[in-house]
C-alpha cells in the first residue's frame, strides 16, 4: 500500500469532507425551463433597434455562442423538432418545411408566445417568416443555421404591433429579443445542451428500481442505505448501495426523454442529458454499449435491459423515442455509479458524456463513505434513512470548475 505524507492526507480529508454531502448529477440547478409568467403589470413595447437583454446576442448573458451549422441529415439535425402548432403561421417560402424546424427550447418559447399574441390581439396569430436556414441566407455565425433563431411578425402584418410583439417575446422567455427591422422582430434561444445544467433531476417520481431482493420500489420510496441492482463495467448485475441523492423533489415538473423497447418491453424516462448505455443498431453482447446522452438515442438502437425470470442484462431494441413531461425528479447515486430503472440499465451521471470520468470524480466520496462504514453504527444510519429534499450545492460548484477547465462548450457537446 502506498505511503501518504501528512499534506496528502490532509488534502484527502478536506476533499472528503467537502464531498460528503454535495455531488454532481443531472446538473447543478433546476431553474424552470418553462416560460416567464405574464404578470398584470403594464407592458411597455420595445423601441426600434432595442434588444433585450442589453448585451450582444452571442454572449453568455443572452443566447450564447454559435455552435456551427446544422446540416440536414447530420447527427445534430436529429435534435431539431418540427412545430405544427395551428396557432402559428409559418411562411415557409422554400416549401421545404425548414421554417418549422427548431430546437426544443425554441419550440417551447414560440408556442408560449403564440398564446400571448392571441390574448393580446384576439383574432391575430403569430407569424414566423424565418426559422432554420439551410440555404445560407444569413451571416456565417447566425443562430438561424442551428434552429435557435426566428424572425417573427403578426399575422395581420401591422407594424405598429411589432414593438409590443417584441415585449411579449421577452415575457415568453426568449433569451434574446431584437426589434431588428420595421418588417420583423428577431428572437433566439440558448442551445438545448447548455440548459441541461439548469434542469435538474434524472428520473421521474413514478420510475422504479430493482432491490437486491428482486422487489420493485418506486424512487419516491427509495432511501439512503438501500441496496439496488446495478452493473459492473463488464455488464454483470451486482447489488450496489444507494449512497445519497443528487437531487430529490417530489413536485418538480420537467421534460423527459421516453425510451421504449421491445423484447423485453421496457419504458425508461430520464432527462435529455442523462447517460444511458446504448449501442447503434443490433448488438449481441454488452461490449458494444457505450454511455450516451438520452437525447442521442434513436429508434433502432439498443439498450441494456433486465431479462425476465431473473436473467441478466440483454440487448433490447429501441422501438420509439419521444418527449414527455413528468412530475418528481430523483437522482440516486450508487456505489457502482449505475442502477436499473424500469428494468433498463442507466448511469447515475449526466451533463458530461463520460461515465468513466464522472465516476472517477466521486472516488473521494466513495472513499469517505467507506471510511464512515467502518465506524460504529449510529441509530440514524442504514436502511430507512429519509433523504433530504432538494439538490446538493456541490453539483453547481463542480460544474463551474469543470466549465472553467474544459469550457462549457466541451460539456454536453
Amino acid at each position: 500500500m502506498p505511503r501518504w505524507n501528512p499534506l496528502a492526507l490532509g488534502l484527502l480529508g478536506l476533499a472528503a469532507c467537502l464531498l460528503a454531502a454535495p455531488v454532481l448529477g443531472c446538473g447543478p440547478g433546476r431553474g424552470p425551463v418553462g416560460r416567464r409568467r405574464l404578470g398584470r403589470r403594464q407592458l411597455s413595447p420595445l423601441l426600434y433597434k432595442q434588444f433585450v437583454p442589453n448585451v450582444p446576442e452571442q454572449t453568455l448573458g443572452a443566447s450564447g455562442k454559435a455552435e456551427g451549422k446544422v446540416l440536414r441529415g447530420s447527427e445534430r439535425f436529429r435534435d431539431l423538432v418540427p412545430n405544427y402548432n395551428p396557432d402559428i403561421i409559418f411562411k415557409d417560402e422554400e416549401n421545404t418545411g425548414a421554417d418549422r424546424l427548431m430546437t426544443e427550447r425554441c419550440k417551447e418559447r414560440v408556442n408560449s408566445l403564440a398564446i400571448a399574441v392571441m390574448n393580446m390581439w384576439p383574432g391575430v396569430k403569430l407569424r414566423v417568416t424565418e426559422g432554420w436556414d439551410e440555404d445560407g441566407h444569413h451571416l456565417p455565425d447566425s443562430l438561424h443555421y442551428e434552429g435557435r433563431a426566428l424572425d417573427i411578425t403578426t399575422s395581420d402584418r401591422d407594424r405598429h404591433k411589432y414593438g409590443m410583439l417584441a415585449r411579449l417575446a421577452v415575457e415568453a422567455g426568449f433569451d434574446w429579443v431584437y426589434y431588428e427591422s420595421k418588417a420583423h422582430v428577431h428572437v433566439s434561444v440558448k442551445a438545448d445542451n447548455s440548459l441541461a445544467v439548469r434542469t435538474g433531476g434524472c428520473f421521474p417520481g413514478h420510475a422504479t428500481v430493482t432491490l437486491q431482493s428482486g422487489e420493485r420500489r418506486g424512487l419516491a420510496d427509495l432511501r439512503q442505505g438501500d441496496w439496488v441492482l446495478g452493473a459492473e463495467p463488464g455488464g454483470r448485475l451486482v447489488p450496489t448501495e444507494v449512497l445519497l441523492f443528487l437531487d430529490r423533489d417530489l413536485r418538480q415538473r420537467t421534460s423527459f426523454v421516453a425510451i421504449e423497447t421491445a423484447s423485453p418491453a421496457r419504458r425508461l424516462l430520464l432527462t435529455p442529458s442523462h447517460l444511458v448505455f446504448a449501442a447503434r443498431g443490433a448488438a449481441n453482447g454488452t461490449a458494444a454499449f457505450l454511455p450516451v446522452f438520452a437525447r442521442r438515442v434513436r429508434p433502432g438502437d439498443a439498450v441494456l435491459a433486465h431479462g425476465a425470470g431473473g436473467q441478466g442484462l440483454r440487448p433490447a431494441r429501441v422501438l420509439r423515442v419521444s418527449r414527455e413531461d413528468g412530475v418528481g425528479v430523483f437522482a440516486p447515486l450508487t456505489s457502482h455509479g449505475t442502477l436499473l430503472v424500469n428494468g433498463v440499465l442507466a448511469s447515475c451521471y449526466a451533463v458530461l458524456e463520460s461515465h468513466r470520468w464522472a465516476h472517477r470524480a466521486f472516488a473521494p466520496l466513495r472513499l469517505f463513505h467507506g471510511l464512515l462504514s467502518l465506524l460504529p453504527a449510529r441509530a440514524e444510519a442504514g436502511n430507512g434513512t429519509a433523504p433530504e429534499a432538494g439538490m446538493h450545492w456541490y453539483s453547481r460548484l463542480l460544474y463551474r470548475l469543470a466549465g472553467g477547465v474544459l469550457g462549457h462548450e466541451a460539456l454536453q457537446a
Side-chain angles (χ1 to χ4, degrees), residues 48-123:
Y48 179 56
K49 292 297 182 182
Q50 182 182 359
F51 44 86
V52 176
N54 190 27
V55 295
E57 180 179 27
Q58 294 189 27
T59 57
L60 187 61
S63 295
K65 293 181 179 180
E67 298 182 344
K69 293 183 179 182
V70 175
L71 303 178
R72 188 179 291 271
S74 67
E75 181 71 21
R76 292 175 61 206
F77 179 75
R78 298 180 179 182
D79 292 332
L80 300 183
V81 292
N83 192 333
Y84 296 111
N85 189 336
D87 297 326
I88 303 175
I89 297 173
F90 291 88
K91 185 177 180 182
D92 193 22
E93 57 189 355
E94 300 89 356
N95 293 318
T96 62
D99 288 339
R100 293 183 180 271
L101 294 175
M102 57 193 70
T103 65
E104 189 72 32
R105 180 173 176 81
C106 191
K107 181 178 179 179
E108 291 175 353
R109 297 303 184 266
V110 75
N111 287 346
S112 176
L113 177 58
I115 296 173
V117 168
M118 292 189 297
N119 288 338
M120 178 64 69
W121 302 294

Side-chain angles (χ1 to χ4, degrees), residues 341-366:
V341 180
N342 289 355
V344 178
L345 183 66
S347 169
C348 293
Y349 309 116
V351 179
L352 181 65
E353 200 168 20
S354 173
H355 174 85
R356 178 180 299 177
W357 282 107
H359 194 58
R360 286 175 177 173
F362 290 103
L365 176 62
R366 294 192 299 275

Side-chain angles (χ1 to χ4, degrees), residues 30 54 71 135-136 139 150 161 183 199 228 251 340 351 399 402:
R30 228 183 16 251
N54 190 27
L71 303 178
D135 298 322
L139 294 176
L150 303 171
K161 292 186 173 78
T199 54
V228 300
R251 295 181 297 275
L340 285 176
V351 179
Y399 177 79

Side-chain angles (χ1 to χ4, degrees), residues 61-395:
S63 295
K65 293 181 179 180
E67 298 182 344
K69 293 183 179 182
V70 175
L71 303 178
R72 188 179 291 271
S74 67
E75 181 71 21
R76 292 175 61 206
F77 179 75
R78 298 180 179 182
D79 292 332
L80 300 183
V81 292
N83 192 333
Y84 296 111
N85 189 336
D87 297 326
I88 303 175
I89 297 173
F90 291 88
K91 185 177 180 182
D92 193 22
E93 57 189 355
E94 300 89 356
N95 293 318
T96 62
D99 288 339
R100 293 183 180 271
L101 294 175
M102 57 193 70
T103 65
E104 189 72 32
R105 180 173 176 81
C106 191
K107 181 178 179 179
E108 291 175 353
R109 297 303 184 266
V110 75
N111 287 346
S112 176
L113 177 58
I115 296 173
V117 168
M118 292 189 297
N119 288 338
M120 178 64 69
W121 302 294
V124 176
K125 292 186 176 182
L126 178 64
R127 177 170 173 260
V128 174
T129 61
E130 281 287 336
W132 174 61
D133 180 12
E134 59 179 332
D135 298 322
H137 294 158
H138 295 84
L139 294 176
D141 61 347
S142 171
L143 298 185
H144 280 285
Y145 296 123
E146 303 177 26
R148 293 166 52 192
L150 303 171
D151 293 339
I152 57 175
T153 71
T154 54
S155 60
D156 60 3
R157 307 185 195 183
D158 182 355
R159 298 187 178 187
H160 294 95
K161 292 186 173 78
Y162 292 175
M164 182 57 73
L165 176 63
R167 174 56 64 186
L168 293 178
V170 173
E171 297 298 317
F174 280 97
D175 296 302
W176 199 70
V177 179
Y178 181 26
Y179 191 176
E180 181 178 30
S181 163
K182 292 291 186 180
H184 69 262
V185 173
H186 176 84
V187 296
S188 63
V189 297
K190 297 179 184 295
D192 281 354
N193 55 30
S194 70
L195 297 168
V197 299
R198 290 195 293 280
T199 54
C202 297
F203 308 102
H206 56 73
T208 62
V209 296
T210 304
L211 300 183
Q212 182 179 6
S213 63
E215 173 192 353
R216 293 289 185 90
R217 178 170 295 179
L219 283 176
D221 299 319
L222 193 65
R223 296 291 183 262
Q224 179 180 342
D226 285 344
W227 285 79
V228 300
L229 289 185
E232 293 179 327
R236 186 172 67 91
L237 287 176
V238 293
T240 182
E241 185 181 3
V242 176
L243 303 181
L244 45 81
F245 276 76
L246 312 181
D247 193 6
R248 188 176 187 274
D249 192 321
L250 295 169
R251 295 181 297 275
Q252 175 68 27
R253 175 177 290 274
T254 191
S255 177
F256 297 94
V257 174
I259 300 173
E260 300 180 51
T261 69
S263 188
R266 299 287 184 264
R267 193 168 191 271
L268 172 67
L269 271 69
L270 67 175
T271 46
S273 289
H274 192 78
L275 294 177
V276 62
F277 298 93
R280 293 298 185 201
N284 296 321
T286 61
F289 287 81
L290 299 174
V292 299
F293 289 145
R295 60 184 170 85
R296 299 195 194 278
V297 177
R298 298 290 180 258
D301 292 347
V303 294
L304 289 171
H306 190 201
Q311 299 177 4
L313 294 173
R314 53 178 291 188
R317 187 172 64 87
V318 176
L319 287 179
R320 63 184 63 89
V321 180
S322 59
R323 293 292 182 106
E324 181 176 313
D325 288 341
V327 177
V329 289
F330 296 85
L333 175 67
T334 68
S335 56
H336 284 77
T338 58
L339 73 168
L340 285 176
V341 180
N342 289 355
V344 178
L345 183 66
S347 169
C348 293
Y349 309 116
V351 179
L352 181 65
E353 200 168 20
S354 173
H355 174 85
R356 178 180 299 177
W357 282 107
H359 194 58
R360 286 175 177 173
F362 290 103
L365 176 62
R366 294 192 299 275
L367 175 61
F368 182 79
H369 183 83
L371 293 175
L372 285 182
S373 67
L374 299 177
L375 298 177
R378 296 173 297 175
E380 67 270 17
N383 292 1
T385 303
E388 295 183 0
M391 179 176 293
H392 289 276
W393 60 266
Y394 189 76
S395 57

